Structure formats: structure tokens, C-alpha cells
Amino acid sequence: SKLILIIIFTFNSSAVAEEGKPVFKIGFAIPLSGSLSFIGEDIREGVELATLKNDSANITILPIYEDSEYNNKTTASIANKLISIDKVDAIVSLWDTAEIVAPLAERADIPHIAIRWNPHVAEKYNKTFTIESTYKSYVQKQLEMLKKIGAKKISVIHQSSEGWNMAAEQLKKESSNYNIEITQTQQFTSGTTDFRTLVTKALSKPHDYIVLHTNVPDTAQIVKRLKELSKNSKFTGYFEGDEAINLYESMPYASQFEASEWFKELFQKRYNRQFRTRAPQGYDIISILYKIHEGKDKLLNTAEIVLSLKNLNSFSGASGTLSARGGKTFANDCVVKVFKDGKVQKLELNELSSFKIN
């Protein structure tokens, strides 16, 4: 019976030690319903993988999810809930909703990590960081690709949102440096359902390529109209996460990152499929927080987290090698990809000769 008591005591001690680990609560204000819900689910799966991978770490990271609906009003409401009721230690937002979350996190004195290509929000708010390649590097890669395949004239269709407006302005600003002329720009607002007139206007001017700065699912609807009205038109755009990949077969496109091979294998093994778009960023956010807490017996405070994130360099992440380089943006390199036979392939610029315009 003494042996049994020892075993019980040992078991209970380890359980207490496990339960006694400091708990870091991180709130996710991400879309879990609506047309962008697949991105929120993708992020959640990446987070789950990271927490499973680090289950023996010295702290426990507890994610708390709220559905932003990718809507500013809803985002403000759930961010306030995460901060004031759930008392999260950090908060994560997606894309343009970062502008809503950043001032709330600043006032609450908690770190905010935005999956976003606009780094200006991180420059404006002391406690905000971004983790995504920037709109400038994306447009640069897109223009490098277009120049390599011989495009001289492009017609642009872009969605009216803060992120896409910035990309459109950057494209306009930089295109002449690549000897590319923008012959037409068409803009539409979220909620547009009939793209026939828009596409007809975009096709009306001379162009080698139609450039789409649009989100899923609008991209697929625009491409369907393009194919109906001009089946031989060449186009490129932001195709990440779209399930209608057959629409984009053999059309090269700029992508914001290439996920690490080990992460692709890890995700495939867990979910029996490939991730769609932002699971690597979800994984990296959690992994970085575990990394900066290594060897610590208590949670870092906000000032310590901010300093640790600024000093993080050469972190081997799921979305590539990440470094803040003393700043507040974790940006990885953009790449060129293409869908071939239903599979995505990464392309080097010197491999684009087969896509050369005659």
C-alpha cells in the first residue's frame, strides 16, 4: 500500500506541476464565418499545431477565438470582449481589421500581432507587430514576374479596401521602373456581384495581362467573366487560398511566401490535406511566443514581450525565416507560383521563360 501511495503522490505531483505552469492567454479576432472564414479556420489549425508541438514547454498558451466576421464593427466588439472580459495577454488580428484592434491593444497595454501586409500600423502603435510580407514586396515580385514574361501593358482590377488600395498605388508608382504601362484601372467595392461591366471596361484597353488585386471569392467570379468575354486573355492576381484553382491553371502569380517543407508535412500529417493560406502565420505566432518564454519561470510582461519580439532574429518559422531586425515587422520573401495539373508549384524567375509573351 505504501508503493501505491508513492505512485499516487508522484502522479499527482506531476499533474500539479503541469497545471501549475503559467498560462498565457492569446485572443484571436479572426473571421470564422462569411466568405473569409476559411482564413480564420486556417489560422486556428496552425495555432493548434503549434500548441501541440510545444505541449512540454514551460508555459501553456491558451488561444481564445472570436469571430470578427471581417467586419470593423464586430471586430471592435469582440476585441473589447477579449481584452476586458477574457483578460488576454496578447491579441491577434487579420488584415485591415488591425486598424481597429491596434488602438484598443495600445490602451490596454497588451501586445498586438497583426497578420497584415501594411506595416504602417506597427510603426504607428508601440505594441503592434505585423507578420506577413509587405504590400511593397508583393508588388515588387509581381512586377518582376510580369517583366520577366515580357508584359509591357497591364490592365488593373482592384478591390476598394485599405490593403488593396495601397497595393494599387504601389503598382502605379513602381510600374514605370519595370517599363510596364498601366492602361486601365477598374475599382470595385466589397459586395459587388455583377462583374461583367467591370471586366468589359478592363478588356477595352490594350493589355498583355490583366492584373487582379482582389480577394477570394471575388477573384474567381472575375476570372469566370474574363474567360467568358475573352477566353485567350492572360491574367494574374492574388490566388492564395482559392479552391477554384482550375480557373488559374498555368497562370503565374506572385505569392506572399513559401511555407517551410517541414510545416507542409506536419500539416498534411495532422489534417490529411494541405493548408490553404494563413496556417503558417498562426503557427509562427504561437511558436515565437513559446520561444521568447524559454527558460522563464513566469510570463513576460508587455514591455518584455515587445523588446523580445524586436530582438528576434533568424527564427526558423513555418512561413520561412523570420527576423524583426530591430523593427516590428516579421516579413518573409515573396515568391512566384503557378497551378499545374491541380497542384501549386514554386517558380524561380529564370524558370518563367516558358510563359514569355510572343
Side-chain angles (χ1 to χ4, degrees):
S1 60
K2 186 182 287 188
L3 179 60
I4 292 172
L5 284 172
I6 290 170
I7 291 170
I8 291 171
F9 179 78
T10 305
F11 175 79
N12 285 342
S13 296
S14 66
V16 170
E18 181 72 16
E19 291 172 3
K21 289 197 299 185
V23 177
F24 187 96
K25 292 193 287 186
I26 180 166
F28 285 82
I30 54 178
L32 297 170
S33 63
S35 63
L36 295 179
S37 61
F38 69 93
I39 299 178
E41 293 297 341
D42 217 42
I43 293 168
R44 184 152 63 180
E45 287 167 341
V47 168
E48 180 184 50
L49 272 179
T51 52
L52 289 171
K53 185 78 172 175
N54 292 276
D55 63 347
S56 61
N58 55 309
I59 67 165
T60 295
I61 292 182
L62 176 65
I64 301 172
Y65 302 98
E66 291 290 346
D67 182 10
S68 72
E69 302 172 356
Y70 201 62
N71 170 287
N72 285 348
K73 186 176 179 181
T74 305
T75 298
S77 174
I78 64 166
N80 276 313
K81 184 254 182 190
L82 287 166
I83 291 168
S84 60
I85 298 176
D86 296 305
K87 307 290 185 185
V88 294
D89 300 294
I91 192 166
V92 174
S93 67
L94 178 72
W95 298 347
D96 287 353
T97 58
E99 295 292 344
I100 304 299
V101 177
L104 299 176
E106 198 77 13
R107 275 201 301 274
D109 190 32
I110 63 169
H112 167 221
I113 301 174
I115 301 173
R116 193 180 197 210
W117 74 359
N118 175 7
H120 299 170
V121 69
E123 296 162 7
K124 185 176 178 181
Y125 295 98
N126 293 330
K127 298 169 185 68
T128 291
F129 292 77
T130 58
I131 180 166
E132 202 174 60
S133 57
T134 67
Y135 70 95
K136 288 183 178 180
S137 60
Y138 176 80
V139 168
Q140 180 184 349
K141 183 59 69 175
Q142 195 169 61
L143 287 168
E144 286 175 358
M145 179 196 75
L146 287 165
K147 182 177 181 180
K148 200 73 176 178
I149 58 184
K152 300 289 186 184
K153 297 177 185 291
I154 59 173
S155 185
V156 179
I157 297 176
H158 83 88
Q159 197 162 345
S160 180
S161 68
E162 185 171 350
W164 283 123
N165 292 347
M166 295 183 78
E169 282 301 311
Q170 187 68 14
L171 190 69
K172 183 179 177 181
K173 178 182 176 183
E174 294 292 330
S175 57
S176 61
N177 295 333
Y178 294 83
N179 297 316
I180 293 173
E181 178 188 353
I182 298 174
T183 59
Q184 174 97 1
T185 298
Q186 292 297 320
Q187 185 173 334
F188 69 94
T189 57
S190 181
T192 299
T193 55
D194 185 3
F195 293 102
R196 183 174 293 274
T197 302
L198 188 87
V199 171
T200 300
K201 288 180 178 178
L203 289 167
S204 67
K205 295 288 185 178
H207 62 274
D208 300 310
Y209 261 78
I210 301 277
V211 175
L212 308 175
H213 280 183
T214 55
N215 285 336
V216 175
D218 295 322
T219 307
Q221 296 306 314
I222 292 169
V223 169
K224 285 175 183 176
R225 295 291 167 265
L226 265 175
K227 288 176 176 283
E228 286 174 8
L229 297 169
S230 178
K231 64 179 181 180
N232 294 321
S233 269
K234 295 183 181 298
F235 58 89
T236 189
Y238 192 85
F239 302 150
E240 292 179 21
D242 202 324
E243 290 187 323
I245 58 176
N246 60 304
L247 290 173
Y248 317 121
E249 178 75 13
S250 301
M251 293 294 172
Y253 66 98
S255 174
Q256 282 189 268
F257 67 98
E258 173 68 359
S260 302
E261 288 301 320
W262 59 262
F263 178 77
K264 292 179 187 177
E265 293 172 8
L266 196 66
F267 195 96
Q268 180 73 38
K269 185 176 179 181
R270 174 73 181 175
Y271 300 107
N272 200 31
R273 59 180 170 78
Q274 284 297 303
F275 71 91
R276 287 184 64 182
T277 173
R278 288 297 177 269
Q281 280 76 15
Y283 185 97
D284 285 342
I285 289 167
I286 299 300
S287 298
I288 286 170
L289 289 171
Y290 276 120
K291 176 67 177 176
I292 64 176
H293 278 94
E294 277 183 2
K296 308 291 192 300
D297 57 2
K298 62 179 181 179
L299 299 180
L300 300 178
N301 62 35
T302 295
E304 290 168 333
I305 291 172
V306 168
L307 183 60
S308 296
L309 292 178
K310 283 182 177 180
N311 291 333
L312 192 73
N313 282 299
S314 301
F315 181 80
S316 182
S319 58
T321 301
L322 300 173
S323 296
R325 301 182 182 91
K328 297 173 70 201
T329 295
F330 295 97
N332 34 43
D333 295 329
C334 295
V335 297
V336 175
K337 296 178 181 177
V338 68
F339 291 112
K340 277 290 201 182
D341 302 320
K343 294 181 179 179
V344 64
Q345 297 177 13
K346 179 186 172 185
L347 295 170
E348 300 299 334
L349 288 177
N350 60 11
E351 296 178 299
L352 288 169
S353 56
S354 61
F355 298 92
K356 196 91 173 172
I357 297 170
N358 296 327

